[in-house]
Amino acid sequence: LHDRIERALCSALQLLLRHASVFARQLRPKLSGHVRHHVRHRYGRRRVNCAHRRQRPYIRRERIQNARTPRNEPALAASPSREACLMAINYAKKHGTKVIFDIDYREYNWRSKADIAVYYSLVGRMSDVIIGSREEFNLTEYLPEENDVADYEIAEKYLNYGNQIVIIKHGKKGSVAYGADKEAFKVDSYKIKLLKSFGGGDAYASAFIYGLLEGWSLADSLRHGTAHAAMVVASHSCSEAMQDAPAIDAFIQEHAAEQVITPVEWKVVL
């Protein structure tokens, strides 16, 4: 059954990539803050303003080629952004641009769990780094909430597809980062006074990605992301609380006695 599903997914990916540019040309609107693509109904017939056909494509190859890390999850939930996202990833892979897939599941965006599994797993096969909670990986793999699949098995699957890093989060228990070099790290949180529960994920991802782009080791990048997340959730604001690299480094030095990044066995269970 799993082999059949994998073959179907591969076929679906090839079909989507083959037709993505066609969908983009047919459905592209001109974007400038709001979507200027007007659809109206008259006498029961839908009439579409087709002025957008004269506009340039909203997927620009040169922007993707010059980008460092495209990442977007909500765009996968529906057409035409779904095809545009896959097309963008395809361009990124052709030009050597790293793709970081932060799953960031939002239930209200999706129509079914089957759709989630198809498109999350497609992007997971094409990314270079994939980050998500265990629940999000269960959705990606179309697994029930209670299952016997170990974290390292999921990590190995996506590492074999070409990802360099797979991070599986377990809430208060921490997370585990698996590297293509077969090193695994347990990630815990800094001891801070929690003031809010939102903003930490974006803070973590931004600082972690910064470390990777700077050429840091996996452990140092994880520490940087964890420190930034702690700083943001310990503040009352969100975007205003985002820090720069020197401020994060200072926080790490102040909490040097706390061991938040620990090498662990590959088959560790949280």
Side-chain angles (χ1 to χ4, degrees):
L1 177 60
H2 285 290
D3 289 341
R4 292 173 59 189
I5 292 174
E6 287 204 8
R7 287 196 295 270
L9 287 173
C10 290
S11 298
L13 175 58
Q14 292 172 358
L15 180 64
L16 281 167
L17 291 177
R18 189 178 305 126
H19 295 290
S21 59
V22 177
F23 293 153
R25 286 197 299 270
Q26 291 178 343
L27 300 172
R28 64 181 181 266
K30 180 181 179 182
L31 301 178
S32 58
H34 296 288
V35 179
R36 294 180 179 175
H37 180 62
H38 306 291
V39 180
R40 60 181 178 176
H41 294 264
R42 181 177 291 181
Y43 307 117
R45 298 178 63 187
R46 185 173 72 176
R47 302 182 62 185
V48 181
N49 177 0
C50 295
H52 66 278
R53 290 180 181 173
R54 296 189 296 272
Q55 307 301 329
R56 296 177 63 190
Y58 66 91
I59 292 184
R60 309 280 175 81
R61 294 193 185 198
E62 64 275 11
R63 291 185 180 179
I64 297 170
Q65 180 178 353
N66 297 327
R68 300 185 77 181
T69 54
R71 55 188 289 269
N72 199 339
E73 177 277 333
L76 296 172
S79 296
S81 61
R82 173 182 291 160
E83 291 78 17
C85 188
L86 292 169
M87 183 176 174
I89 294 172
N90 194 37
Y91 286 162
K93 302 301 287 185
K94 286 182 179 179
H95 294 292
T97 300
K98 299 300 182 184
V99 177
I100 296 178
F101 183 29
D102 185 357
I103 299 178
D104 196 23
Y105 169 65
R106 295 290 184 268
E107 183 179 4
Y108 51 78
N109 285 335
W110 292 90
R111 299 177 61 180
S112 71
K113 290 186 176 180
D115 281 357
I116 295 168
V118 168
Y119 294 105
Y120 278 2
S121 61
L122 285 177
V123 175
R125 292 163 182 254
M126 302 168 71
S127 58
D128 297 284
V129 178
I130 181 169
I131 306 170
S133 68
R134 179 55 204 250
E135 291 75 16
E136 289 170 334
F137 276 102
N138 285 343
L139 289 168
T140 302
E141 291 296 290
Y142 208 30
L143 295 170
E145 292 184 11
E146 299 294 330
N147 62 80
D148 297 326
V149 180
D151 285 0
Y152 76 90
E153 294 179 281
I154 294 175
E156 286 178 348
K157 178 176 182 177
Y158 286 94
L159 290 170
N160 289 335
Y161 286 140
N163 282 273
Q164 296 302 302
I165 300 169
V166 177
I167 299 178
I168 303 179
K169 299 183 286 188
H170 285 270
K172 294 181 179 180
K173 294 181 180 179
S175 59
V176 181
Y178 299 88
D181 56 3
K182 291 298 181 180
E183 284 191 322
F185 294 92
K186 168 88 160 38
V187 184
D188 293 300
S189 300
Y190 282 99
K191 297 176 182 178
I192 47 89
K193 182 179 180 181
L194 181 68
L195 296 181
K196 65 179 188 300
S197 59
F198 57 88
D202 289 334
Y204 176 88
S206 62
F208 172 68
I209 293 169
Y210 173 83
L212 294 181
L213 294 177
E214 289 295 303
W216 298 353
S217 68
L218 176 55
D220 287 340
S221 300
L222 291 168
R223 185 177 293 104
H224 200 66
T226 303
H228 194 206
M231 297 171 77
V232 170
V233 298
S235 67
H236 289 288
S237 60
C238 188
S239 58
E240 294 84 357
M242 297 292 175
Q243 306 292 319
D244 58 17
I248 298 173
D249 290 337
F251 177 91
I252 292 173
Q253 291 301 319
E254 292 172 7
H255 296 77
E258 297 182 43
Q259 183 72 18
V260 295
I261 308 298
T262 308
V264 292
E265 295 292 331
W266 188 256
K267 297 183 179 182
V268 65
V269 177
L270 297 190

